[in-house]
Amino acid sequence: RRHETSMYHLGAVKAMTTPQKDIGELLSKKHHDDKQLNGRMLMNIMQNLQFCDRQGIPIRGHTDTESNFIQLLKLRRNDQQDIIDWLDKKAEKYTSLEVQNELLKLMSTKLLRDVAERIKQALFFSVMVDECVDSSNKEQLVLCFRYVDTEIVSHEDFVGLYECPNITANTIVSAIEDVLLRLSLNLSQCRGQCYYGRSNMAGSKNGVKQQILRKEPLALFIHCYGHVLSLSVADTIKNISLLRYNMDTVFEISKLLQYSPKRMCLFRDVKAEVSPDAIGFRILCPDGQCIMKPFVVLLITIAP
């Protein structure tokens, strides 16, 4: 105790707790200036990456010098003259592909941690899962969390796409548990699960729904309302021949126009003359009756 109150101990504690400057800054002003410049340039690089990522702008181009990322940095030279000199350096520019990927990974990790923290504050959550095949023919699992914050406002946060080797129930359950583990969330706080109605998801014996219910009985299953609506409309249309033929005709007309530039040009001219404020269209899925209404209304409007 006498040592704790001694002048030497108190002086040592003060020296350890007082922020100290880097020894390089004390010995060299150039080292201090370089450190300040490096920090400022790194912030510019991170802001550029954040902007491109937020707006969905491709970061890389055919060459590194012609990429959107580098060109955006050069565009900012009017505000900071040091950027051009920085890009002319041969090394340690923080602009390599590896550094870009690492910075993007840090940003995404920060976002996921913020989402996880909000979910923890809400105490309870629901899991929403769907799967789809991307353009490279790979199975992607889409996972979202729904929760209600302290202000009684509901949120639905997308947390990522996860590549799966298959879409069996065991694989999907393992992916869900892995995401919960990475976000430090407990399955015991899950109060709902929302999927479509296929057997691998909603099966009463070994589906994802049932496997989750075995581990957490309070995680009630809700069949996706959008999927239920689509199935209901599709079943209704199949039982009414007039609607069925009408939807098939609309689908064939959409293909007829979309695959011919000449017919599409004529269609745009007629649309501009008869109904200029109407929306355009795309190739329509014959099972997507719920999203075909705008195009059906447009065809009725411009039909002779």
Side-chain angles (χ1 to χ4, degrees), residues 45-59:
I45 290 170
M46 293 182 65
Q47 290 170 0
N48 279 20
L49 285 173
Q50 184 181 18
F51 175 78
C52 292
D53 193 39
R54 174 64 179 81
Q55 298 303 117
I57 300 174
I59 296 175

Side-chain angles (χ1 to χ4, degrees), residues 74-97:
K74 291 181 178 180
L75 185 64
R76 301 183 64 182
R77 63 186 174 184
N78 294 330
D79 301 325
Q80 299 189 40
Q81 299 294 332
D82 298 333
I83 291 181
I84 296 300
D85 296 334
W86 179 267
L87 293 177
D88 290 337
K89 292 172 61 176
K90 294 184 178 181
E92 299 180 352
K93 296 187 292 185
Y94 310 139
T95 57
S96 65
L97 304 184

Side-chain angles (χ1 to χ4, degrees), residues 261-280:
K262 180 179 179 180
R263 287 191 288 266
M264 177 60 73
C265 185
L266 293 174
F267 177 79
R268 291 196 186 101
D269 293 339
V270 175
K271 172 181 172 296
E273 181 179 350
V274 178
S275 182
D277 296 331
I279 64 173

